[in-house]
Amino acid sequence: KQILNGIDLTISSGEVHAVMGPNGAGKSTLSAVIMGKPGYTVTGGRILLDGVDVLSLPTWQRAVAGLYLVMQYPTEVPGVALDAVLGEALKDRGRGEDVARLDEMLRSEAARINFDEKFLGRPLNVDLSGGEKKRNETLQMSILRPKIAILDELDSGLDVDALRDCARRVMDATREDGLGALVITHYSRLLEDLKPSRIHILVKGRIVQSGGPELADVLERDGYAAFTGAAS
């Protein structure tokens, strides 16, 4: 089954782009294909990161190259500690000096997003609530400092405080580290704190309209019905 029907997007360092659309539009498929999740076949096109086509790379190499995915439903990994995961990831990125001060970095970043330090010693995402898992994903992003972060429904399962903490940390990363962010969401409330420079409406696997933040106002007023005709 063909899910995506020609997606053309360019995201530069420091930019936030939001992709919004109804259920079944292909939003999560887009994030999965960019990160190289098995089970999908790309029939045409390229995914360029700093001019290099990453389509031929396995997922871990895409991550080392600078892609990062905040998953809609973060995976629990019993027996594997958070600091061990990040330590190995930093080694693969040639950041041995940061491995030596990882504990300090973790505590600093945890305080910044109000993530309880008691979770830092837990196996990855095990026994964490939905909101705590999203804070954990945001914490890992801040440590790894990717070039492009894909946020697949960051707002799913988050309360207002957690949503604000995570969104503001992403925005800080765009200013401090030049992070480019692709934000996938159903709801414009996320965009109150995570302010996109561009919004793209995805319907039936196709971007039917792109524009500035004003598109979120159109969605609030008219819903996706204002755009579905353009996808037929």
Side-chain angles (χ1 to χ4, degrees), residues 25-216:
K27 301 186 301 298
S28 290
T29 296
L30 176 62
S31 69
V33 168
I34 292 173
M35 283 306 303
K37 183 178 180 179
Y40 296 92
T41 300
V42 178
T43 58
R46 299 179 299 169
I47 300 174
L48 299 177
L49 180 62
D50 291 340
V52 176
D53 190 351
V54 301
L55 269 179
S56 61
L57 301 180
T59 297
W60 73 269
Q61 288 184 0
R62 298 185 195 198
V64 170
L67 293 177
Y68 181 83
L69 173 63
V70 173
M71 293 184 284
Q72 182 177 1
Y73 303 108
T75 302
E76 294 188 9
V77 189
V80 180
L82 171 63
D83 58 353
V85 170
L86 288 173
E88 291 300 318
L90 291 171
K91 288 178 188 176
D92 281 342
R93 287 155 176 77
R95 292 170 54 191
E97 71 284 356
D98 285 335
V99 175
R101 61 187 195 96
L102 180 56
D103 287 345
E104 173 194 342
M105 294 168 65
L106 282 168
R107 288 193 298 271
S108 174
E109 289 294 344
R112 194 164 175 177
I113 59 171
N114 295 307
F115 185 62
D116 197 317
E117 281 192 21
K118 71 182 180 183
F119 298 130
L120 296 177
R122 295 260 185 102
L124 191 62
N125 288 323
V126 173
D127 294 332
L128 269 62
S129 69
E132 289 160 349
K133 287 179 180 178
K134 294 297 178 73
R135 289 186 199 262
N136 197 3
E137 295 275 292
T138 305
L139 172 82
Q140 294 169 63
M141 181 205 74
S142 64
I143 297 289
L144 296 177
R145 299 199 302 268
K147 297 175 181 177
I148 299 288
I150 307 154
L151 315 179
D152 188 6
E153 301 202 24
L154 175 68
D155 45 349
S156 177
L158 284 187
D159 59 33
V160 173
D161 291 336
L163 180 61
R164 183 179 300 114
D165 289 338
C166 292
R168 289 180 177 175
R169 184 62 188 91
V170 173
M171 287 302 297
D172 286 346
T174 65
R175 293 185 289 264
E176 297 169 10
D177 304 317
L179 175 73
L182 175 62
V183 182
I184 295 170
T185 183
H186 280 292
Y187 306 111
S188 57
R189 70 167 187 155
L190 174 62
L191 309 183
E192 294 173 8
D193 289 299
L194 196 55
K195 302 183 184 302
S197 47
R198 297 284 290 171
I199 294 178
H200 311 278
I201 307 300
L202 185 68
V203 179
K204 297 180 180 177
R206 183 177 287 113
I207 292 177
V208 297
Q209 191 163 339
S210 297
E214 71 279 355
L215 276 185

